Amino acid sequence: MISERQLRILEAIISDFIDTAQPVGSRTISKKYPLGVSSATIRNEMADLEELGYLEQPHTSSGRVPSDLGYRLYVDSMVNFHSIGIDEKEIIQSMLRNRIIEASDLAKQAAKLLSEFTNLVAIVTIPKFNKCKLANLKLIKVSDTRVLLIMVTDTGIVKNIQLAMSYTDQFILDKVSDTMLSFLSGETIEKIDVRSILKLKDKLQNLGTFVDYLIPILRDALKSLNGTEQYAEGLSHILSIQEFADSEKAKVIFDFLRDPKNLEIFLDEISSDQLSIKIGSEIGIDSLDACSIISSTYKVDGKSDGKIIVLGPKRMDYGNVVSIVNYISNTLSDVFSGINL
Amino acid sequence: MISERQLRILEAIISDFIDTAQPVGSRTISKKYPLGVSSATIRNEMADLEELGYLEQPHTSSGRVPSDLGYRLYVDSMVNFHSIGIDEKEIIQSMLRNRIIEASDLAKQAAKLLSEFTNLVAIVTIPKFNKCKLANLKLIKVSDTRVLLIMVTDTGIVKNIQLAMSYTDQFILDKVSDTMLSFLSGETIEKIDVRSILKLKDKLQNLGTFVDYLIPILRDALKSLNGTEQYAEGLSHILSIQEFADSEKAKVIFDFLRDPKNLEIFLDEISSDQLSIKIGSEIGIDSLDACSIISSTYKVDGKSDGKIIVLGPKRMDYGNVVSIVNYISNTLSDVFSGINL
DNA sequence: TGTTAGCACTCATATCAATCGAGTGCTAAT
DNA sequence: ATTAGCACTCGATTGATATGAGTGCTAACA
């Protein structure tokens, strides 16, 4: 078992390391932190902490560096998750409530705020469109060769897809979209497949040819709705972080984040009901071994959630980041739920 | 005046430097390139080329490095702008003609191809929406609180903007949008201002209250259409380039590119009718002094153009990049012009 | 028994001189 | 005009040496 004193020493070491990025030695701790014991004692405790797996030594005769386990303990039992200041709150509120009504803009704005307040990389997803229920659907002719398919979810998110069609009569389009809506309304969008679209044929037998023409186009359009839309901001902050001063190391992170699919797997795994902190190897992704990820979810009307994540070096100010993630996550829930008032 | 031999020596130096990123010396040239003269002769010529401003010497007793002027001469009179291979052409054709009908997707795809083929950063803009002429306009109710404003340009680009409105009757919306279209059709979108919208009031006097309500909302929506939409791809390639191995240097580029406004100024300046190569200081932007930019434009139906740019280190394969930019630019013109057939 | 002073030891980092070698400019011979 | 030759420059490499921050261990102490 770990003693109270060891805990305080570990805390001092991690704080110091977060500040300085340098392996920390026993003398530094005894001088900078009022623990009331000599460096020799700390030295002994540090040896024990290393044996317990909370610290690591880059090489003999260098100071100690926290291990993933050390950070874990630090986060679980030492970090002070204070609430953010009133000023920050006001800025966030005004930026997110400032007449934004597109889900994507809102996510982008939230990611921007997150990355500015944390100086780290922030990613915000919007609720998986696929999982939402269809509330409205319209086909609008925009030109002789194009039709706009508009879908609105019950959570108020609007999605437009352009369809290339050479057969576009608004009267027919209205008829088709009304009919589709009548039997698809309330369905989650992922459930809308060829089979359900085929009902169109039954209901609109007089438009058989048109429906035959439309179905493959619709199918392709719906297929394109897979995947989570991610909005990442602050990527360049990576480049200011000591751990990634070498471009090659930064590139690993960039390359990972470039393909949204990479993160999607991770996003699907994180629990959807509370804030999560993953440290280094806990993330389970080799290229992110040097990072920590703090993630949270927000809900729209209590359902169907979007995700917020902040990615940075393990050596980050967990207390601060957590409180910002929390606040923005809550604000986003509110704003999203309010959008379709 | 510069002699033929000096030209050939300069060419050899620049080729070698592009390959190796190392200052090149006279012996290297005399051994690697069959110029038929000794290193001493080359040495003399190099001294002259330096005096003429085409070469620079990082320090006495190091090899020479091309100056911006040197690159300029190289590009103007030595680079072989061959056409790209048939295989590349096929890939580009198939990727860009593969049933993409959204301008933004097309631009994104083109940027991706560019960056993959050049291993550099690529940015593609879509024709400035503002400068296009309005061809169609519709207001669609999507929920009790939201209306979708759809605008189609004569170049076939579709733009949707959501409007927050608490007064949404589709019958009225149809009336309003029909009326608006009747006197705005053919106008460039940037010309649509409050004054022109006010005509609505004259024409729809029975809907005065609604029009009063709508006007400020429309004005805000139209204001949001300023600016060029840019799609950048391959940013992470920066991190593989020797010149930017130091994260701090890469960050300068990233920070510059992060804000589309920065590039917009530059984009507005480049001539709109042919391929342009800007080298280092020619770009006129301090943070890009170590870079070269190759840019081109594509036309949609001979009008209203979008831009293509590739950004990399001065030490790039100009011949190759130029031919790729050219080919993609032409293809994009074709595809864009064909979209609204 | 826990704490601490003291000390030998380790090892990355800094320092400095010596050397190397790629490159130059200049001169004199071809 | 070209080139061989040579002295010279100067960054990079090497290696020996010192520095110092850090450790672990032991023995003395409270």
Side-chain angles (χ1 to χ4, degrees):
Chain A
M1 208 19 223
I2 194 169
S3 75
E4 179 59 29
R5 191 172 68 184
Q6 284 176 321
L7 221 56
R8 284 209 308 279
I9 290 174
L10 184 61
E11 183 177 10
I13 293 171
I14 298 184
S15 304
D16 207 74
F17 184 70
I18 286 177
D19 274 7
T20 66
Q22 298 301 320
V24 348
S26 54
R27 233 177 91 78
T28 315
I29 296 298
S30 79
K31 272 201 301 185
K32 272 171 75 170
Y33 300 82
L35 293 170
V37 288
S38 79
S39 67
T41 309
I42 290 169
R43 214 140 54 225
N44 290 329
E45 297 286 33
M46 279 164 92
D48 291 351
L49 285 167
E50 184 173 356
E51 207 173 341
L52 290 166
Y54 297 115
L55 293 177
E56 279 163 8
Q57 219 174 357
H59 53 266
T60 352
S61 90
S62 87
R64 263 43 174 231
V65 157
S67 68
D68 287 2
L69 198 64
Y71 279 116
R72 170 52 55 200
L73 187 58
Y74 176 72
V75 161
D76 283 346
S77 58
M78 291 175 265
V79 177
N80 168 25
F81 298 113
H82 58 89
S83 175
I84 61 171
I86 187 91
D87 293 352
E88 281 99 342
K89 283 186 183 174
E90 266 173 22
I91 294 174
I92 291 171
Q93 289 293 334
S94 78
M95 296 302 274
L96 290 184
R97 292 191 189 277
N98 183 24
R99 59 171 75 191
I100 303 175
I101 52 170
E102 303 262 7
S104 58
D105 290 340
L106 200 47
K108 235 178 269 178
Q109 187 65 50
K112 226 172 238 171
L113 285 167
L114 266 175
S115 91
E116 273 167 24
F117 278 113
T118 59
N119 284 318
L120 298 173
V121 180
I123 297 153
V124 175
T125 73
I126 54 180
K128 223 171 177 169
F129 191 74
N130 248 344
K131 306 270 184 196
C132 297
K133 287 179 185 160
L134 186 71
N136 205 347
L137 177 152
K138 275 204 166 51
L139 289 164
I140 311 287
K141 167 181 176 167
V142 291
S143 82
D144 286 343
T145 55
R146 287 203 266 175
V147 167
L148 198 63
L149 166 63
I150 302 170
M151 289 187 277
V152 187
T153 69
D154 61 340
T155 52
I157 293 171
V158 176
K159 179 84 73 182
N160 323 111
I161 310 176
Q162 286 184 51
L163 310 177
M165 291 178 63
S166 57
Y167 183 179
T168 57
D169 178 273
Q170 185 62 54
F171 181 75
I172 295 178
L173 293 174
D174 281 346
K175 207 146 201 173
V176 171
S177 49
D178 285 353
T179 313
M180 278 182 77
L181 185 60
S182 73
F183 62 80
L184 291 177
S185 173
E187 251 348 301
T188 60
I189 283 144
E190 64 182 346
K191 287 235 179 88
I192 304 176
D193 55 5
V194 179
R195 206 147 40 87
S196 58
I197 304 176
L198 276 176
K199 285 191 199 165
L200 264 180
K201 257 191 124 166
D202 302 336
K203 305 232 179 185
L204 292 171
Q205 285 173 342
N206 51 333
L207 292 175
T209 340
F210 180 77
V211 171
D212 281 343
Y213 174 69
L214 180 68
I215 284 176
I217 297 176
L218 270 181
R219 195 198 49 208
D220 284 355
L222 289 168
K223 239 194 309 196
S224 73
L225 296 174
N226 276 322
T228 317
E229 277 179 61
Q230 296 170 16
Y231 299 91
E233 293 283 342
L235 274 175
S236 78
H237 283 137
I238 293 273
L239 301 174
S240 309
I241 296 169
Q242 274 199 40
E243 275 83 342
F244 307 109
D246 176 12
S247 284
E248 278 307 311
K249 289 193 182 128
K251 188 164 193 299
V252 174
I253 315 284
F254 273 83
D255 284 341
F256 178 84
L257 292 178
R258 201 185 40 198
D259 186 353
K261 279 184 207 120
N262 287 333
L263 206 60
E264 199 164 341
I265 300 162
F266 172 79
L267 286 170
D268 285 345
E269 274 172 14
I270 58 172
S271 102
S272 67
D273 52 339
Q274 72 185 74
L275 189 123
S276 137
I277 301 179
K278 299 261 183 191
I279 297 159
S281 55
E282 295 176 3
I283 299 173
I285 295 166
D286 283 354
S287 18
L288 303 185
D289 255 10
C291 302
S292 282
I293 289 181
I294 296 184
S295 56
S296 177
T297 61
Y298 62 89
K299 305 242 168 185
V300 185
D301 294 330
K303 302 169 290 191
S304 160
D305 42 6
K307 286 172 185 169
I308 287 181
I309 94 169
V310 169
L311 181 148
K314 286 190 273 198
R315 198 175 55 76
M316 67 162 81
D317 183 344
Y318 291 90
N320 188 41
V321 174
V322 164
S323 50
I324 291 168
V325 167
N326 258 333
Y327 189 75
I328 291 197
S329 156
N330 290 335
T331 308
L332 225 41
S333 289
D334 291 354
V335 177
F336 258 105
S337 300
I339 270 185
N340 55 333
L341 280 182
Chain B
M1 207 19 221
I2 194 169
S3 74
E4 180 58 30
R5 190 172 67 185
Q6 284 177 320
L7 219 55
R8 283 209 307 279
I9 291 174
L10 184 61
E11 183 177 11
I13 294 171
I14 298 185
S15 303
D16 206 76
F17 184 71
I18 286 176
D19 274 7
T20 66
Q22 298 301 320
V24 350
S26 53
R27 233 177 90 77
T28 315
I29 296 299
S30 78
K31 272 202 299 183
K32 273 172 69 173
Y33 299 81
L35 293 169
V37 288
S38 78
S39 67
T41 310
I42 290 170
R43 216 142 51 226
N44 291 329
E45 297 286 33
M46 280 165 92
D48 291 350
L49 285 167
E50 183 172 358
E51 207 174 340
L52 289 166
Y54 298 115
L55 294 177
E56 278 163 10
Q57 218 173 359
H59 54 265
T60 352
S61 89
S62 86
R64 259 60 170 217
V65 158
S67 68
D68 287 2
L69 199 62
Y71 279 116
R72 169 51 55 200
L73 188 57
Y74 176 72
V75 161
D76 284 346
S77 57
M78 290 175 266
V79 176
N80 168 25
F81 297 114
H82 57 90
S83 174
I84 59 172
I86 187 90
D87 292 354
E88 282 98 340
K89 284 186 182 173
E90 266 173 23
I91 294 174
I92 291 171
Q93 288 293 335
S94 80
M95 295 303 273
L96 290 184
R97 292 191 188 275
N98 182 24
R99 61 172 74 190
I100 303 176
I101 52 172
E102 302 262 7
S104 56
D105 290 340
L106 201 47
K108 235 177 269 176
Q109 187 65 49
K112 226 172 240 172
L113 285 167
L114 268 174
S115 89
E116 272 167 25
F117 278 114
T118 60
N119 284 319
L120 300 173
V121 180
I123 297 153
V124 174
T125 74
I126 54 182
K128 223 170 176 170
F129 190 75
N130 247 345
K131 306 270 183 196
C132 297
K133 288 178 183 161
L134 188 71
N136 204 347
L137 177 152
K138 275 205 167 50
L139 288 165
I140 311 286
K141 168 180 174 168
V142 291
S143 80
D144 286 344
T145 55
R146 287 201 268 174
V147 167
L148 198 63
L149 166 63
I150 302 169
M151 290 187 279
V152 187
T153 69
D154 61 340
T155 52
I157 294 170
V158 175
K159 179 84 77 183
N160 323 111
I161 310 175
Q162 284 184 52
L163 309 175
M165 291 178 63
S166 57
Y167 183 0
T168 57
D169 179 89
Q170 186 61 53
F171 181 77
I172 295 179
L173 292 174
D174 282 344
K175 207 146 199 171
V176 170
S177 48
D178 286 352
T179 313
M180 278 183 78
L181 186 61
S182 73
F183 64 82
L184 291 178
S185 175
E187 245 358 294
T188 61
I189 282 143
E190 65 182 345
K191 286 237 178 85
I192 304 176
D193 57 4
V194 179
R195 205 147 41 85
S196 58
I197 305 175
L198 275 176
K199 286 190 197 164
L200 264 181
K201 257 190 122 165
D202 302 336
K203 305 234 178 184
L204 292 171
Q205 284 174 344
N206 50 333
L207 292 174
T209 339
F210 180 76
V211 172
D212 282 343
Y213 173 69
L214 181 67
I215 285 176
I217 295 176
L218 269 181
R219 195 198 48 209
D220 285 355
L222 289 168
K223 239 194 311 198
S224 72
L225 296 175
N226 276 322
T228 317
E229 276 178 62
Q230 295 168 16
Y231 299 90
E233 292 283 343
L235 275 174
S236 77
H237 283 136
I238 294 273
L239 301 175
S240 308
I241 296 168
Q242 273 198 41
E243 276 84 340
F244 306 110
D246 177 12
S247 284
E248 277 308 311
K249 289 193 182 128
K251 190 166 193 298
V252 173
I253 314 283
F254 273 83
D255 284 342
F256 177 85
L257 292 178
R258 201 186 41 199
D259 186 352
K261 278 185 209 120
N262 287 332
L263 207 59
E264 199 164 341
I265 299 163
F266 172 79
L267 286 171
D268 285 345
E269 273 172 16
I270 58 173
S271 103
S272 66
D273 52 340
Q274 73 186 73
L275 188 124
S276 137
I277 301 179
K278 300 263 181 188
I279 297 158
S281 56
E282 294 176 4
I283 300 173
I285 295 166
D286 284 353
S287 16
L288 303 186
D289 255 8
C291 303
S292 282
I293 288 181
I294 295 184
S295 56
S296 178
T297 61
Y298 62 89
K299 305 241 168 186
V300 185
D301 293 331
K303 301 170 289 191
S304 160
D305 43 4
K307 285 170 184 169
I308 287 183
I309 93 170
V310 169
L311 183 148
K314 287 189 272 198
R315 198 176 56 77
M316 68 163 82
D317 182 345
Y318 290 92
N320 188 43
V321 175
V322 164
S323 51
I324 291 168
V325 167
N326 259 332
Y327 189 75
I328 291 196
S329 155
N330 290 336
T331 308
L332 225 41
S333 289
D334 291 352
V335 177
F336 259 106
S337 299
I339 270 185
N340 53 335
L341 280 182

